[in-house]
PDB file of all heavy atoms in Angstrom:
ATOM      1  N   ILE A1448      95.741  74.687 -20.475  1.00  0.00           N
ATOM      2  CA  ILE A1448      95.516  73.597 -21.432  1.00  0.00           C
ATOM      3  C   ILE A1448      95.988  72.307 -20.786  1.00  0.00           C
ATOM      4  O   ILE A1448      97.141  72.212 -20.348  1.00  0.00           O
ATOM      5  CB  ILE A1448      96.279  73.843 -22.750  1.00  0.00           C
ATOM      6  CG1 ILE A1448      95.790  75.127 -23.417  1.00  0.00           C
ATOM      7  CG2 ILE A1448      96.121  72.655 -23.701  1.00  0.00           C
ATOM      8  CD1 ILE A1448      96.593  75.533 -24.650  1.00  0.00           C
ATOM      9  N   ILE A1449      95.088  71.339 -20.718  1.00  0.00           N
ATOM     10  CA  ILE A1449      95.436  70.028 -20.150  1.00  0.00           C
ATOM     11  C   ILE A1449      95.692  69.077 -21.305  1.00  0.00           C
ATOM     12  O   ILE A1449      94.791  68.770 -22.093  1.00  0.00           O
ATOM     13  CB  ILE A1449      94.312  69.495 -19.246  1.00  0.00           C
ATOM     14  CG1 ILE A1449      93.989  70.517 -18.145  1.00  0.00           C
ATOM     15  CG2 ILE A1449      94.713  68.156 -18.631  1.00  0.00           C
ATOM     16  CD1 ILE A1449      92.775  70.146 -17.303  1.00  0.00           C
ATOM     17  N   GLY A1450      96.947  68.611 -21.419  1.00  0.00           N
ATOM     18  CA  GLY A1450      97.361  67.772 -22.536  1.00  0.00           C
ATOM     19  C   GLY A1450      98.402  68.497 -23.368  1.00  0.00           C
ATOM     20  O   GLY A1450      98.470  69.737 -23.359  1.00  0.00           O
ATOM     21  N   ALA A1451      99.254  67.725 -24.080  1.00  0.00           N
ATOM     22  CA  ALA A1451     100.328  68.355 -24.869  1.00  0.00           C
ATOM     23  C   ALA A1451     100.490  67.689 -26.230  1.00  0.00           C
ATOM     24  O   ALA A1451     101.580  67.695 -26.800  1.00  0.00           O
ATOM     25  CB  ALA A1451     101.642  68.297 -24.089  1.00  0.00           C
ATOM     26  N   GLY A1452      99.403  67.146 -26.751  1.00  0.00           N
ATOM     27  CA  GLY A1452      99.459  66.496 -28.061  1.00  0.00           C
ATOM     28  C   GLY A1452      99.200  67.459 -29.199  1.00  0.00           C
ATOM     29  O   GLY A1452      99.283  68.687 -29.043  1.00  0.00           O
ATOM     30  N   LYS A1453      98.862  66.905 -30.379  1.00  0.00           N
ATOM     31  CA  LYS A1453      98.656  67.720 -31.576  1.00  0.00           C
ATOM     32  C   LYS A1453      97.517  68.727 -31.397  1.00  0.00           C
ATOM     33  O   LYS A1453      97.621  69.892 -31.784  1.00  0.00           O
ATOM     34  CB  LYS A1453      98.359  66.802 -32.769  1.00  0.00           C
ATOM     35  CG  LYS A1453      98.135  67.556 -34.067  1.00  0.00           C
ATOM     36  CD  LYS A1453      97.808  66.606 -35.207  1.00  0.00           C
ATOM     37  CE  LYS A1453      97.518  67.383 -36.487  1.00  0.00           C
ATOM     38  NZ  LYS A1453      97.159  66.484 -37.608  1.00  0.00           N
ATOM     39  N   MET A1454      96.407  68.266 -30.797  1.00  0.00           N
ATOM     40  CA  MET A1454      95.266  69.162 -30.604  1.00  0.00           C
ATOM     41  C   MET A1454      95.631  70.317 -29.675  1.00  0.00           C
ATOM     42  O   MET A1454      95.190  71.450 -29.876  1.00  0.00           O
ATOM     43  CB  MET A1454      94.079  68.389 -30.043  1.00  0.00           C
ATOM     44  CG  MET A1454      93.576  67.277 -30.937  1.00  0.00           C
ATOM     45  SD  MET A1454      92.687  67.906 -32.369  1.00  0.00           S
ATOM     46  CE  MET A1454      91.037  68.021 -31.694  1.00  0.00           C
ATOM     47  N   SER A1455      96.446  70.022 -28.668  1.00  0.00           N
ATOM     48  CA  SER A1455      96.885  71.084 -27.752  1.00  0.00           C
ATOM     49  C   SER A1455      97.785  72.078 -28.464  1.00  0.00           C
ATOM     50  O   SER A1455      97.717  73.293 -28.226  1.00  0.00           O
ATOM     51  CB  SER A1455      97.617  70.480 -26.552  1.00  0.00           C
ATOM     52  OG  SER A1455      96.734  69.685 -25.785  1.00  0.00           O
ATOM     53  N   ARG A1456      98.638  71.577 -29.370  1.00  0.00           N
ATOM     54  CA  ARG A1456      99.491  72.476 -30.156  1.00  0.00           C
ATOM     55  C   ARG A1456      98.633  73.437 -30.975  1.00  0.00           C
ATOM     56  O   ARG A1456      98.907  74.638 -31.047  1.00  0.00           O
ATOM     57  CB  ARG A1456     100.400  71.670 -31.080  1.00  0.00           C
ATOM     58  CG  ARG A1456     101.304  72.546 -31.945  1.00  0.00           C
ATOM     59  CD  ARG A1456     102.163  71.731 -32.881  1.00  0.00           C
ATOM     60  NE  ARG A1456     101.364  71.004 -33.854  1.00  0.00           N
ATOM     61  CZ  ARG A1456     100.826  71.550 -34.945  1.00  0.00           C
ATOM     62  NH1 ARG A1456     100.973  72.848 -35.181  1.00  0.00           N
ATOM     63  NH2 ARG A1456     100.133  70.819 -35.788  1.00  0.00           N
ATOM     64  N   LEU A1457      97.576  72.899 -31.589  1.00  0.00           N
ATOM     65  CA  LEU A1457      96.669  73.749 -32.368  1.00  0.00           C
ATOM     66  C   LEU A1457      95.952  74.758 -31.471  1.00  0.00           C
ATOM     67  O   LEU A1457      95.736  75.904 -31.861  1.00  0.00           O
ATOM     68  CB  LEU A1457      95.658  72.883 -33.122  1.00  0.00           C
ATOM     69  CG  LEU A1457      96.238  72.038 -34.255  1.00  0.00           C
ATOM     70  CD1 LEU A1457      95.185  71.073 -34.789  1.00  0.00           C
ATOM     71  CD2 LEU A1457      96.750  72.925 -35.381  1.00  0.00           C
ATOM     72  N   LEU A1458      95.598  74.310 -30.261  1.00  0.00           N
ATOM     73  CA  LEU A1458      94.962  75.233 -29.315  1.00  0.00           C
ATOM     74  C   LEU A1458      95.883  76.413 -29.003  1.00  0.00           C
ATOM     75  O   LEU A1458      95.459  77.574 -29.026  1.00  0.00           O
ATOM     76  CB  LEU A1458      94.605  74.493 -28.018  1.00  0.00           C
ATOM     77  CG  LEU A1458      93.368  73.603 -28.033  1.00  0.00           C
ATOM     78  CD1 LEU A1458      93.300  72.764 -26.765  1.00  0.00           C
ATOM     79  CD2 LEU A1458      92.094  74.444 -28.177  1.00  0.00           C
ATOM     80  N   VAL A1459      97.151  76.104 -28.703  1.00  0.00           N
ATOM     81  CA  VAL A1459      98.113  77.177 -28.408  1.00  0.00           C
ATOM     82  C   VAL A1459      98.241  78.109 -29.606  1.00  0.00           C
ATOM     83  O   VAL A1459      98.220  79.344 -29.472  1.00  0.00           O
ATOM     84  CB  VAL A1459      99.496  76.587 -28.035  1.00  0.00           C
ATOM     85  CG1 VAL A1459     100.516  77.714 -27.866  1.00  0.00           C
ATOM     86  CG2 VAL A1459      99.412  75.758 -26.762  1.00  0.00           C
ATOM     87  N   GLN A1460      98.348  77.530 -30.786  1.00  0.00           N
ATOM     88  CA  GLN A1460      98.503  78.320 -32.006  1.00  0.00           C
ATOM     89  C   GLN A1460      97.344  79.302 -32.186  1.00  0.00           C
ATOM     90  O   GLN A1460      97.556  80.492 -32.451  1.00  0.00           O
ATOM     91  CB  GLN A1460      98.573  77.367 -33.211  1.00  0.00           C
ATOM     92  CG  GLN A1460      98.736  78.052 -34.555  1.00  0.00           C
ATOM     93  CD  GLN A1460      98.793  77.049 -35.696  1.00  0.00           C
ATOM     94  OE1 GLN A1460      99.474  76.026 -35.596  1.00  0.00           O
ATOM     95  NE2 GLN A1460      98.070  77.314 -36.757  1.00  0.00           N
ATOM     96  N   HIS A1461      96.120  78.793 -32.020  1.00  0.00           N
ATOM     97  CA  HIS A1461      94.947  79.647 -32.200  1.00  0.00           C
ATOM     98  C   HIS A1461      94.807  80.664 -31.058  1.00  0.00           C
ATOM     99  O   HIS A1461      94.429  81.814 -31.289  1.00  0.00           O
ATOM    100  CB  HIS A1461      93.681  78.793 -32.298  1.00  0.00           C
ATOM    101  CG  HIS A1461      93.619  77.965 -33.544  1.00  0.00           C
ATOM    102  ND1 HIS A1461      93.647  78.505 -34.804  1.00  0.00           N
ATOM    103  CD2 HIS A1461      93.531  76.619 -33.709  1.00  0.00           C
ATOM    104  CE1 HIS A1461      93.573  77.538 -35.700  1.00  0.00           C
ATOM    105  NE2 HIS A1461      93.510  76.385 -35.066  1.00  0.00           N
ATOM    106  N   LEU A1462      95.111  80.245 -29.838  1.00  0.00           N
ATOM    107  CA  LEU A1462      95.022  81.157 -28.696  1.00  0.00           C
ATOM    108  C   LEU A1462      95.998  82.323 -28.831  1.00  0.00           C
ATOM    109  O   LEU A1462      95.646  83.488 -28.620  1.00  0.00           O
ATOM    110  CB  LEU A1462      95.284  80.399 -27.391  1.00  0.00           C
ATOM    111  CG  LEU A1462      94.131  79.535 -26.875  1.00  0.00           C
ATOM    112  CD1 LEU A1462      94.629  78.535 -25.837  1.00  0.00           C
ATOM    113  CD2 LEU A1462      93.025  80.417 -26.277  1.00  0.00           C
ATOM    114  N   VAL A1463      97.239  81.993 -29.194  1.00  0.00           N
ATOM    115  CA  VAL A1463      98.252  83.037 -29.379  1.00  0.00           C
ATOM    116  C   VAL A1463      97.820  83.972 -30.501  1.00  0.00           C
ATOM    117  O   VAL A1463      97.954  85.198 -30.411  1.00  0.00           O
ATOM    118  CB  VAL A1463      99.633  82.405 -29.681  1.00  0.00           C
ATOM    119  CG1 VAL A1463     100.631  83.474 -30.116  1.00  0.00           C
ATOM    120  CG2 VAL A1463     100.146  81.652 -28.454  1.00  0.00           C
ATOM    121  N   GLY A1464      97.273  83.387 -31.562  1.00  0.00           N
ATOM    122  CA  GLY A1464      96.801  84.192 -32.691  1.00  0.00           C
ATOM    123  C   GLY A1464      95.673  85.137 -32.306  1.00  0.00           C
ATOM    124  O   GLY A1464      95.496  86.191 -32.929  1.00  0.00           O
ATOM    125  N   LYS A1465      94.909  84.774 -31.280  1.00  0.00           N
ATOM    126  CA  LYS A1465      93.790  85.616 -30.830  1.00  0.00           C
ATOM    127  C   LYS A1465      94.187  86.544 -29.685  1.00  0.00           C
ATOM    128  O   LYS A1465      93.339  87.223 -29.119  1.00  0.00           O
ATOM    129  CB  LYS A1465      92.627  84.735 -30.375  1.00  0.00           C
ATOM    130  CG  LYS A1465      92.037  83.838 -31.460  1.00  0.00           C
ATOM    131  CD  LYS A1465      91.307  84.618 -32.535  1.00  0.00           C
ATOM    132  CE  LYS A1465      90.605  83.697 -33.523  1.00  0.00           C
ATOM    133  NZ  LYS A1465      89.935  84.454 -34.604  1.00  0.00           N
ATOM    134  N   GLY A1466      95.469  86.517 -29.295  1.00  0.00           N
ATOM    135  CA  GLY A1466      95.943  87.489 -28.312  1.00  0.00           C
ATOM    136  C   GLY A1466      96.181  86.972 -26.907  1.00  0.00           C
ATOM    137  O   GLY A1466      96.568  87.744 -26.019  1.00  0.00           O
ATOM    138  N   ALA A1467      95.955  85.673 -26.642  1.00  0.00           N
ATOM    139  CA  ALA A1467      96.184  85.136 -25.295  1.00  0.00           C
ATOM    140  C   ALA A1467      97.673  85.166 -24.954  1.00  0.00           C
ATOM    141  O   ALA A1467      98.513  84.842 -25.803  1.00  0.00           O
ATOM    142  CB  ALA A1467      95.646  83.714 -25.198  1.00  0.00           C
ATOM    143  N   VAL A1468      97.989  85.554 -23.725  1.00  0.00           N
ATOM    144  CA  VAL A1468      99.402  85.649 -23.314  1.00  0.00           C
ATOM    145  C   VAL A1468      99.692  84.892 -22.013  1.00  0.00           C
ATOM    146  O   VAL A1468     100.851  84.615 -21.701  1.00  0.00           O
ATOM    147  CB  VAL A1468      99.829  87.122 -23.159  1.00  0.00           C
ATOM    148  CG1 VAL A1468      99.870  87.819 -24.512  1.00  0.00           C
ATOM    149  CG2 VAL A1468      98.912  87.878 -22.206  1.00  0.00           C
ATOM    150  N   GLN A1469      98.636  84.550 -21.256  1.00  0.00           N
ATOM    151  CA  GLN A1469      98.831  83.842 -19.977  1.00  0.00           C
ATOM    152  C   GLN A1469      98.364  82.394 -20.166  1.00  0.00           C
ATOM    153  O   GLN A1469      97.205  82.072 -19.938  1.00  0.00           O
ATOM    154  CB  GLN A1469      98.026  84.508 -18.860  1.00  0.00           C
ATOM    155  CG  GLN A1469      98.338  85.989 -18.662  1.00  0.00           C
ATOM    156  CD  GLN A1469      97.455  86.621 -17.599  1.00  0.00           C
ATOM    157  OE1 GLN A1469      97.570  86.302 -16.401  1.00  0.00           O
ATOM    158  NE2 GLN A1469      96.558  87.507 -18.018  1.00  0.00           N
ATOM    159  N   ILE A1470      99.276  81.535 -20.607  1.00  0.00           N
ATOM    160  CA  ILE A1470      98.909  80.153 -20.936  1.00  0.00           C
ATOM    161  C   ILE A1470      99.765  79.179 -20.137  1.00  0.00           C
ATOM    162  O   ILE A1470     100.998  79.277 -20.127  1.00  0.00           O
ATOM    163  CB  ILE A1470      99.076  79.873 -22.442  1.00  0.00           C
ATOM    164  CG1 ILE A1470      98.253  80.874 -23.272  1.00  0.00           C
ATOM    165  CG2 ILE A1470      98.668  78.439 -22.775  1.00  0.00           C
ATOM    166  CD1 ILE A1470      98.453  80.746 -24.775  1.00  0.00           C
ATOM    167  N   SER A1471      99.090  78.239 -19.469  1.00  0.00           N
ATOM    168  CA  SER A1471      99.780  77.176 -18.728  1.00  0.00           C
ATOM    169  C   SER A1471      99.466  75.834 -19.381  1.00  0.00           C
ATOM    170  O   SER A1471      98.347  75.602 -19.843  1.00  0.00           O
ATOM    171  CB  SER A1471      99.325  77.142 -17.273  1.00  0.00           C
ATOM    172  OG  SER A1471      99.685  78.342 -16.605  1.00  0.00           O
ATOM    173  N   ILE A1472     100.490  74.952 -19.405  1.00  0.00           N
ATOM    174  CA  ILE A1472     100.327  73.610 -19.963  1.00  0.00           C
ATOM    175  C   ILE A1472     100.441  72.596 -18.842  1.00  0.00           C
ATOM    176  O   ILE A1472     101.429  72.582 -18.100  1.00  0.00           O
ATOM    177  CB  ILE A1472     101.409  73.301 -21.028  1.00  0.00           C
ATOM    178  CG1 ILE A1472     101.471  74.406 -22.094  1.00  0.00           C
ATOM    179  CG2 ILE A1472     101.152  71.933 -21.662  1.00  0.00           C
ATOM    180  CD1 ILE A1472     100.250  74.525 -22.953  1.00  0.00           C
ATOM    181  N   LEU A1473      99.435  71.757 -18.721  1.00  0.00           N
ATOM    182  CA  LEU A1473      99.461  70.651 -17.750  1.00  0.00           C
ATOM    183  C   LEU A1473      99.576  69.344 -18.516  1.00  0.00           C
ATOM    184  O   LEU A1473      98.785  69.085 -19.432  1.00  0.00           O
ATOM    185  CB  LEU A1473      98.167  70.622 -16.933  1.00  0.00           C
ATOM    186  CG  LEU A1473      98.003  71.653 -15.809  1.00  0.00           C
ATOM    187  CD1 LEU A1473      96.545  71.759 -15.415  1.00  0.00           C
ATOM    188  CD2 LEU A1473      98.846  71.263 -14.616  1.00  0.00           C
ATOM    189  N   ASN A1474     100.566  68.527 -18.153  1.00  0.00           N
ATOM    190  CA  ASN A1474     100.707  67.248 -18.856  1.00  0.00           C
ATOM    191  C   ASN A1474     101.399  66.223 -17.965  1.00  0.00           C
ATOM    192  O   ASN A1474     102.226  66.582 -17.122  1.00  0.00           O
ATOM    193  CB  ASN A1474     101.510  67.447 -20.153  1.00  0.00           C
ATOM    194  CG  ASN A1474     101.327  66.275 -21.107  1.00  0.00           C
ATOM    195  OD1 ASN A1474     100.200  65.976 -21.490  1.00  0.00           O
ATOM    196  ND2 ASN A1474     102.405  65.603 -21.463  1.00  0.00           N
ATOM    197  N   ARG A1475     101.066  64.965 -18.192  1.00  0.00           N
ATOM    198  CA  ARG A1475     101.671  63.897 -17.388  1.00  0.00           C
ATOM    199  C   ARG A1475     103.172  63.816 -17.651  1.00  0.00           C
ATOM    200  O   ARG A1475     103.971  63.653 -16.741  1.00  0.00           O
ATOM    201  CB  ARG A1475     100.993  62.560 -17.733  1.00  0.00           C
ATOM    202  CG  ARG A1475     101.281  61.444 -16.723  1.00  0.00           C
ATOM    203  CD  ARG A1475     100.546  60.175 -17.106  1.00  0.00           C
ATOM    204  NE  ARG A1475      99.116  60.400 -17.260  1.00  0.00           N
ATOM    205  CZ  ARG A1475      98.237  60.458 -16.256  1.00  0.00           C
ATOM    206  NH1 ARG A1475      98.667  60.329 -15.008  1.00  0.00           N
ATOM    207  NH2 ARG A1475      96.957  60.648 -16.495  1.00  0.00           N
TER     208      ARG A1475
END
């Protein structure tokens, strides 16, 4: 996930809810 704002938080929330476990965050 590139970015760490509100939309990225929602992305993590939905991804984790769907079973994703290998997640990297890229941010300035």
